[in-house]
Amino acid sequence: MIVTEADLRDQLRRPSMGAQVTVPTGARLSPSAADFVKQWALVMVDPGAAAAADDQGNAHGEHDRDWDKASVFPVNFAGELPSCLVCGTPLKKKPSELTQLDAHHYALKTHPRIKLRGEVDSLHALVLLIQRMARQDGDLVLAHDLGTITAYCRELTSAEYNGRPVAQLELTDWGADRIHLATHDPKGTLGIEHLTIDENEPELQHWLNMARTRSREIEITAMEAFGTPAPDWGATICHAFNRLSSTFYFLQLRMKAGLE
């Protein structure tokens, strides 16, 4: 069996770096398909193995975690020339006042979605810094969870760029619903009351609090960027920032409770 580039493209609405495609064991890639896989760093999965893994993942709440992976350089210049969102003209050379809104359009750097993207980039940098601090403090569980959140920041940017619904944030052993419950009923879930902090708390607690407040601010930026009513995929991104701020609060609660 030979898998062609067209076969692979049929599986993807829009190619994205690191996306998964199903390729049966023993199948051969055509030369153009092999180039396509290399160009987009696609992950080839056997459909039978993928189905088994999905069944196991659904049983443990670990499905839909394709985004939780190491970062890759995001820029790819393949495909048709993007057009200016203002004048509609294809641009061979990008003016300094424009930036790429998506695979097909350039927009002014003052575009609301570009502003949102910049704020997510800043949050990503902040979480990386906190992750480094957690590792230096020997809190490897927190460092691991923050690594998952940095990957989720990249998933948020990918979803915004590609105009698709964002995946759901989950941590190891803590699914989205369980995190939501813990932040609304910390006494019943973690054994402590709702958290208020002061200057006596550990420094990491304050940095997590900073990340929580930044997520709440970015939720407002996202709502302004997508408008009302937001497109369905944009609404999932706005909701994701709401849940992301709750996730940082959950990490604060867990630290206060002394749990792993």
Side-chain angles (χ1 to χ4, degrees), residues 137-192:
D137 280 6
D139 194 337
L140 300 184
V141 173
L142 177 59
H144 179 272
D145 285 341
L146 290 170
T148 294
I149 293 176
T150 61
Y152 193 67
C153 287
R154 298 190 291 270
E155 160 63 10
L156 283 160
T157 297
S158 174
E160 177 268 313
Y161 178 87
N162 290 290
R164 61 167 175 80
V166 70
Q168 185 169 256
L169 174 60
E170 295 179 344
L171 303 179
T172 302
D173 298 327
W174 287 87
D177 291 340
R178 191 179 178 206
I179 291 173
H180 185 66
L181 176 61
T183 58
H184 284 73
D185 181 22
K187 183 68 173 179
T189 307
L190 300 171
I192 62 172

Side-chain angles (χ1 to χ4, degrees), residues 10-27:
D10 284 344
Q11 297 184 41
L12 304 170
R13 184 179 63 171
R14 292 178 183 171
S16 59
M17 294 297 295
Q20 284 193 355
V21 289
T22 57
V23 177
T25 299

Side-chain angles (χ1 to χ4, degrees), residues 88-249:
T89 304
L91 299 174
K92 294 183 179 180
K93 184 177 180 180
K94 181 184 74 65
S96 61
E97 69 271 17
L98 298 183
T99 192
Q100 198 158 344
L101 181 68
D102 55 33
H104 307 290
H105 301 98
Y106 285 118
L108 290 172
K109 293 181 178 179
T110 53
H111 191 286
R113 279 177 55 189
I114 302 303
K115 179 182 178 183
L116 170 64
R117 198 176 297 170
E119 292 191 16
V120 177
D121 193 25
S122 295
L123 178 65
H124 179 262
L126 175 62
V127 180
L128 281 171
L129 174 63
I130 303 171
Q131 181 189 19
R132 174 66 176 174
M133 295 172 65
R135 190 170 298 280
Q136 288 177 328
D137 280 6
D139 194 337
L140 300 184
V141 173
L142 177 59
H144 179 272
D145 285 341
L146 290 170
T148 294
I149 293 176
T150 61
Y152 193 67
C153 287
R154 298 190 291 270
E155 160 63 10
L156 283 160
T157 297
S158 174
E160 177 268 313
Y161 178 87
N162 290 290
R164 61 167 175 80
V166 70
Q168 185 169 256
L169 174 60
E170 295 179 344
L171 303 179
T172 302
D173 298 327
W174 287 87
D177 291 340
R178 191 179 178 206
I179 291 173
H180 185 66
L181 176 61
T183 58
H184 284 73
D185 181 22
K187 183 68 173 179
T189 307
L190 300 171
I192 62 172
E193 301 292 345
H194 277 286
L195 182 64
T196 59
I197 65 174
D198 58 26
E199 72 277 8
N200 296 310
E201 297 292 340
E203 185 176 356
L204 265 177
Q205 185 70 267
H206 288 279
W207 282 104
L208 289 173
N209 198 42
M210 286 289 295
R212 178 190 63 82
T213 60
R214 284 298 296 130
S215 298
R216 295 188 67 186
E217 292 171 350
I218 298 175
E219 179 187 2
I220 297 172
T221 302
M223 293 174 68
E224 293 173 343
F226 293 117
T228 303
D232 290 345
W233 61 272
T236 69
I237 295 175
C238 295
H239 181 67
F241 283 113
N242 178 277
R243 288 302 180 92
L244 183 56
S245 65
S246 294
T247 301
F248 284 119
Y249 180 50

